[in-house]
Amino acid sequence: MDVLKKDTTDRSLGKTKCRCRICGSEGEFDTYLAREMMQGTREEFRYFVCGNCRCLQIAEIPENLGDYYAGDYYSFQVPENAGAGLEGPGIDRGKILDVGCGNGQWLLDRAKGGWGNLYGCDPFIERDCSYGSRVTIRNCSIHEMEGDGTFDLILMSDSFEHMTDPLETLQSAKRLLKKEGRLLMLIPTYPNIAFEMFGTHWYQLDAPRHIFLHSKQSLQWLSYASGLTISKMKYDSNGLQFIRSWFYENGIPFLEQDKLMGEYFGRVDIEKLEEEASVWNEKEMGDHMEVWWTKT
């Protein structure tokens, strides 16, 4: 087992003048330097915490943001012959849209289970694609999707934090949803115990791809502004918030962690961290949540 070197660099920049792109507040807000650690370039980006709505957000969105999704970005790997055997309409469980779907793995899994009427959109995939006749994925943002008032369910599974225009994204979701339709959002959230323990090594910060790390307050602000109602919030973080952040703290990029996991964390260690995550979820200090939205 190699000896890892813990990074103890202080990446707090103190309070700097910022303007929140969620609630519009201006002031001197706590600011930090976060490193790109998924691919391990270690490029630094400034993030700040709005003193009003508590959203942790990148100070300046890179003009070349798409470059950070290029190449081997993990959610874009498409399995070979993925659409084999998926012809025919399938079971109609309502019209479903996965926003920021990447390679469409979630949709593909549903289609293999017999579902049909499945759609996805992602502006960072190379081109439109489909899996048989049951899954249709478009190379576009949610704003370009057609089908006003026709979707029963819209899913944003760890994608909303990537959106540079969260209010407009919710407004587009409202446009696409049926009157009784629902939006399910799975999202990393701030504040949380992992950030308190690891600071900017918190792996869900994921600079610069994660533009906004929303708090309960910033989501409520977006609810009022968009006309969508939050019907449920549930914290559902797991032990990976500690494990992957620990690896970041010790200089190991995300894409190298899985092959090292067993060297540093045994089964008992992982079980204890899962139990600890459950405790922090109860205290509403986990680093991830499930959020349900409905049309008002």
Side-chain angles (χ1 to χ4, degrees), residues 17-295:
K17 188 174 182 179
C18 305
R19 183 180 186 278
C20 177
R21 294 190 298 280
I22 299 299
C23 68
S25 296
E26 297 185 40
E28 299 283 328
F29 301 146
D30 291 332
T31 307
Y32 306 89
L33 279 179
R35 298 186 298 173
E36 194 289 319
M37 286 297 290
M38 174 170 283
Q39 298 163 340
T41 67
R42 292 170 171 77
E43 185 178 355
E44 294 183 325
F45 300 88
R46 284 194 310 124
Y47 279 73
F48 69 89
V49 180
C50 174
N52 180 42
C53 72
R54 304 298 295 159
C55 180
L56 172 60
Q57 57 198 272
I58 197 166
E60 297 178 3
I61 300 172
E63 293 183 2
N64 64 331
L65 187 61
D67 292 348
Y68 297 95
Y69 294 90
D72 58 357
Y73 185 65
Y74 73 101
S75 69
F76 293 156
Q77 306 306 306
V78 179
E80 292 186 14
N81 302 316
L86 298 181
E87 299 303 327
I91 302 168
D92 188 357
R93 296 181 179 272
K95 189 176 181 182
I96 299 173
L97 172 64
D98 185 357
V99 178
C101 63
N103 65 4
Q105 187 62 55
W106 185 88
L107 296 165
L108 179 58
D109 291 344
R110 307 281 93 63
K112 287 181 176 178
W115 297 23
N117 211 9
L118 301 167
Y119 298 83
C121 64
D122 197 310
F124 293 114
I125 58 175
E126 291 184 355
R127 59 187 179 277
D128 293 354
C129 65
S130 61
Y131 296 135
S133 58
R134 298 180 188 172
V135 180
T136 301
I137 299 175
R138 289 191 55 198
N139 167 222
C140 70
S141 73
I142 188 175
H143 311 307
E144 301 165 273
M145 284 296 296
E146 300 173 347
D148 290 14
T150 64
F151 286 93
D152 296 275
L153 174 67
I154 294 178
L155 173 68
M156 296 182 188
S157 179
D158 293 296
S159 63
F160 189 62
E161 63 273 18
H162 295 260
M163 308 298 183
T164 59
D165 53 354
L167 176 57
E168 291 78 5
T169 295
L170 289 175
Q171 289 170 336
S172 288
K174 182 180 180 181
R175 169 180 62 83
L176 292 167
L177 282 172
K178 288 182 177 178
K179 183 178 181 180
E180 66 278 11
R182 296 189 298 169
L183 164 63
L184 169 58
M185 184 183 292
L186 306 175
I187 186 173
T189 185
Y190 171 91
N192 61 70
I193 186 59
F195 189 88
E196 288 194 3
M197 293 175 63
F198 295 98
T200 58
H201 297 301
W202 172 41
Y203 91 103
Q204 290 276 22
L205 191 50
D206 194 24
R209 286 164 290 270
H210 287 183
I211 308 299
F212 298 100
L213 287 307
H214 287 285
S215 67
K216 291 177 69 174
Q217 295 95 318
S218 65
L219 291 175
Q220 289 289 359
W221 192 95
L222 288 170
S223 170
Y224 301 143
S226 68
L228 288 171
T229 298
I230 297 175
S231 58
K232 178 182 177 182
M233 285 185 178
K234 178 184 177 182
Y235 285 80
D236 62 354
S237 66
N238 57 41
L240 288 176
Q241 64 187 312
F242 308 115
I243 294 172
R244 295 202 184 278
S245 300
W246 181 87
F247 275 122
Y248 277 14
E249 186 178 55
N250 285 277
I252 306 299
F254 184 97
L255 295 178
E256 297 178 15
Q257 291 180 12
D258 287 349
K259 63 184 178 183
L260 297 173
M261 198 76 70
E263 292 186 32
Y264 294 94
F265 294 91
R267 179 180 59 82
V268 174
D269 299 321
I270 294 173
E271 288 176 354
K272 287 182 178 179
L273 291 174
E274 291 293 337
E275 291 174 2
E276 185 174 350
S278 295
V279 171
W280 289 109
N281 285 335
E282 290 294 324
K283 296 179 179 180
E284 298 190 344
M285 278 292 286
D287 78 332
H288 199 268
M289 65 164 61
E290 171 186 302
V291 186
W292 287 92
W293 307 68
T294 58
K295 293 181 75 164

